[in-house]
Amino acid sequence: MIPLPLWLSALLLTGALCASPALAQEIAEETPDDAQTGAVSAATSVDAGGAEIPVERYPTDGEAVLLWFPSEHGLLDGHRQQALALQAAGVEVWLADPFAGHFLPEAASSFDEMPIETVGDLIEAAHAEDERAVFVFGNDRALPWLLTGLYHWQEEHPEAEHLAGLIMMSPYLHTGVDTDEAEMQPIVGVTNLPIYIIQPILSPQFQHLGLIRSTLSDGGSSVGARLLPELRDRFFFRPDAMEAELLAREIFHQELVYGMDLLRRLPAARTAAASDDLDLSVNTPTGGDVQLDTLDEPVTAPELVRPDLAGEEHRLEDYRGEVVLINFWASWCPPCVHEMPSMQLLEDELREQGFRILAVNLGEDEETIRDFIENEVQTEFTILLDPDQESLNDWRAMAYPTSYVVDREGNLRYYLFGAIEWTEPGVVDQMRELLEEDYEAPEGDD
C-alpha cells in the first residue's frame, strides 16, 4: 500500500484567511457557567425533502443559526448538551432528525435513500425565520449526502448569501475503494463553500485530511482545519469517553463558535461548480459486506514491526510462509469487538495449516488493551501495540476495523474496510485457497 502524507499544516485556511492555532479564549470567558443547563429546546417539524422532519430548536436572539445534521448514530444527548452550550453562547441551534422524518434506521446506508432536497429545504426554513445567517454542521458518514444536498441547494440559489459556511468533523468522504491513493467521493471535487474541518487526531479519518483539503480547494472551497490531539471520533457523545475527551466535550461548543467566526469573514455567495456529466450520486460505504475484497494484482505488503503485550517485537516478514490476517482495531469500536470472537474461531480452525492473526491496536495504551482482552473478548491471537498510530504511515485503515490478508509470499491479496463474520464459508474458503498455494522458502530460511 502506498502511504498518504499526513498534512500537518492544517491550521492554514487555503484561499482568503489564516487561522490562529489557539482556541478563542475570549469565547470561553464570555460563555456562562450554566451553559449545560440553559433554556429548554422547542420541538417542531419542518416540511423538508417531502416529509415532516423533526427539529429540536434552541432559540436565541443571536445573529446566526447553526443547522446540525446528525451522523449515522442519530441524535443523542451529547448533541443536546452542545446545543444548550451554544444557545448560552448566543447561537441558535436546530437539531434536525432526517432519520425519523423519512422513517429510516439510524445507519450509514440510510443516507443512500434519504432525499437530498432535505438539506436545502431545512436551510431555507432556518433562514426564513428572521433572515439570519445559516451555518451547517455535519460529521462522519453523513458528509457525502450533506455535501450533495448543499451542492443542489447552490444550484437552485445562485449567489445566495445566507449560507455562511459548513463545519465538518471527521469527514468520511472516501469511497472505500482500494487504490494507490484514497479515492474521494465525486461530490468533494465540485464543492464550492467556505468550510472549517474539525479533525480529532486519534481517528482513522485523520490520514485523509490532506487529500480532503486539496480536493475541496480544487473545487473552489476555502478550507480551514483544526486538529484535536488526544481525541477520538465522536468524543462529545461517546459513552466510553476518556478523561481528555470528557474535558474536551465541555468546551467543544467554543470550537464551533470559533469556526463560525472564521467562516463568517469569507464570501458566502458561491456559485455551484460545474459538474458536467459527473455522476454525483451518493454511495456511502457501510462496511457491511459479507466477503473479502480482492486486490486486482497482488502487491508486496508494507513493513509492519510492532511489540506485543509482553514486549516482544513482531515483524511481518518473519511470518513469511504463513497466511497472515492483519487487523487494525480499537476497543471502543463496537464492530471491532463484534468480529473478534469469529476471528479467534478462524485462527483456531486454520492455525495448524499456517494461518495467523496479528491484530494491531491503534491509539490506546497497554493497560486499556489488557483490561479489554481480559474482561471483554478473551482472545488468544496476537495483539500488537501502536499507541501513536505509526502504522498508518504505511497501512491505510480507512475505517475501524480495517483488515488485510497477506499470503505466504508476503503479498497483499484481500482487504476489508469494516467488520465481518470471519467464519462465513466464503471467507474460510478464501483463506484455505491461500493456504493451499505452493510456497517455496527462500534459500537460507529454516
Side-chain angles (χ1 to χ4, degrees), residues 317-322 408-410 438-446:
E317 62 183 26
D318 293 338
Y319 287 81
R320 192 65 53 85
E322 297 179 300
R408 294 182 185 274
E409 301 281 351
D438 293 333
Y439 172 72
E440 184 176 344
E443 293 185 9
D445 284 7
D446 295 333

Side-chain angles (χ1 to χ4, degrees), residues 57-303:
R57 292 183 54 184
Y58 297 75
T60 71
D61 295 326
E63 298 179 353
V65 176
L66 179 62
L67 178 56
W68 192 312
F69 289 89
S71 68
E72 65 273 18
H73 301 278
L75 287 182
L76 300 167
D77 286 343
H79 298 86
R80 298 180 177 96
Q81 292 168 1
Q82 296 303 321
L84 286 169
L86 286 164
Q87 181 186 48
V91 177
E92 179 162 329
V93 180
W94 285 29
L95 294 181
D97 190 353
F99 294 104
H102 292 297
F103 298 98
L104 292 169
E106 294 171 351
S109 57
S110 292
F111 290 113
D112 297 335
E113 304 178 42
M114 202 173 286
I116 57 175
E117 294 79 11
T118 305
V119 177
D121 290 344
L122 284 167
I123 291 173
E124 291 306 293
H127 175 64
E129 288 291 312
D130 48 20
E131 299 188 347
R132 286 183 288 182
V134 177
F135 293 86
V136 175
F137 177 89
N139 65 302
D140 290 0
R141 299 180 190 235
L143 265 307
W145 171 80
L146 183 54
L147 287 181
T148 305
L150 291 169
Y151 179 85
H152 284 274
W153 175 86
Q154 283 183 300
E155 286 189 314
E156 295 175 0
H157 300 82
E159 303 299 333
E161 297 184 354
H162 52 279
L163 177 59
L166 168 66
I167 299 176
M168 303 195 296
M169 183 169 177
S170 294
Y172 195 107
L173 291 171
H174 55 80
T175 62
V177 175
D178 186 70
T179 55
D180 289 344
E181 187 173 50
E183 182 180 271
M184 292 289 101
Q185 294 274 0
I187 187 62
V188 183
V190 296
T191 293
N192 179 13
L193 292 167
I195 296 175
Y196 185 64
I197 302 174
I198 301 174
Q199 181 60 64
I201 290 182
L202 300 184
S203 160
Q205 307 314 315
F206 171 52
Q207 62 183 308
H208 305 303
L209 178 60
L211 182 58
I212 290 172
R213 290 185 67 223
S214 63
T215 307
L216 287 168
S217 296
D218 289 343
S221 295
S222 295
V223 188
R226 170 73 167 167
L227 301 182
L228 303 183
E230 301 182 23
L231 302 181
R232 300 171 293 173
D233 290 335
R234 305 178 294 281
F235 67 89
F236 63 92
F237 65 79
R238 59 186 315 136
D240 63 341
M242 301 180 293
E243 182 178 359
E245 293 168 336
L246 291 173
L247 293 173
R249 69 173 53 170
E250 295 297 319
I251 59 172
F252 180 48
H253 68 285
Q254 300 169 15
E255 189 66 51
L256 296 173
V257 174
Y258 181 62
M260 293 167 65
D261 183 58
L262 291 176
L263 292 174
R264 74 170 72 244
R265 304 180 201 177
L266 298 171
R270 304 289 181 104
T271 302
S275 61
D276 298 325
D277 296 327
L278 187 64
D279 182 6
L280 298 181
S281 59
V282 178
N283 184 17
T284 307
T286 64
D289 294 337
V290 292
Q291 61 182 1
L292 301 183
D293 296 306
T294 305
L295 271 74
D296 293 335
E297 295 289 339
V299 296
T300 303
E303 183 181 59

Side-chain angles (χ1 to χ4, degrees), residues 36-57:
Q36 298 298 325
T37 59
V40 177
S41 64
T44 185
S45 62
V46 174
D47 185 5
E52 291 296 315
I53 306 300
V55 175
E56 296 180 17
R57 292 183 54 184

